[in-house]
Amino acid sequence: MRITLVLPAALALLGAAGPALASSCSEQIATIERRLDSAGAEQVTGKEPPGGPTSSHSEKALDHAPKGKPTDPSTTASAGGVAEARDLIKKARAQDKAGDMKGCEDTMTEAKKKAGALP
């Protein structure tokens, strides 16, 4: 009898928590914002991000940009590209808030392209 009462209550709580979970697009926004506020982005733009540069805290992160030229020159990061990516993130955030997941994901794909391969 006790299981019969606990299970519906647990499902009700789970359902109530559902909308509060982050969307995949809001997770992408947070990830790209960290990249755009990184020390690598500071190297590209020449400007320290508001609040100072962040760290990925990843063991795989590089201390500095790799030497040499990228195999795909279109992935080269630029100050203009970083600025455009920041503008696109604002648009994606509005789309995410409005529930336009497809639009948000498309905008984030474009933001990633504009940001380029940051050191």
Side-chain angles (χ1 to χ4, degrees), residues 33-111:
E33 282 184 321
R34 281 192 304 273
R35 281 185 56 210
L36 296 178
D37 289 341
S38 70
E42 182 180 0
Q43 289 175 14
V44 170
T45 63
K47 296 179 184 177
E48 183 173 306
T54 60
S55 170
S56 68
H57 300 293
S58 170
E59 295 175 6
K60 296 180 182 179
L62 301 175
D63 293 334
H64 56 281
K67 306 242 186 288
K69 295 183 179 185
T71 55
D72 182 358
S74 70
T75 63
T76 302
S78 67
V82 169
E84 288 180 62
R86 289 185 189 280
D87 289 340
L88 287 166
I89 284 176
K90 290 176 189 173
K91 178 181 175 182
R93 184 172 279 117
Q95 291 169 317
D96 187 42
K97 187 174 181 178
D100 180 6
M101 290 304 112
K102 174 74 171 116
C104 183
E105 289 174 1
D106 290 347
T107 301
M108 286 308 300
T109 298
E110 188 63 24

Side-chain angles (χ1 to χ4, degrees), residues 12-38:
L13 287 174
L14 184 61
L21 298 175
S23 71
S24 67
C25 198
S26 62
E27 291 171 5
Q28 287 182 55
I29 291 169
T31 299
I32 299 305
E33 282 184 321
R34 281 192 304 273
R35 281 185 56 210
L36 296 178
D37 289 341
S38 70

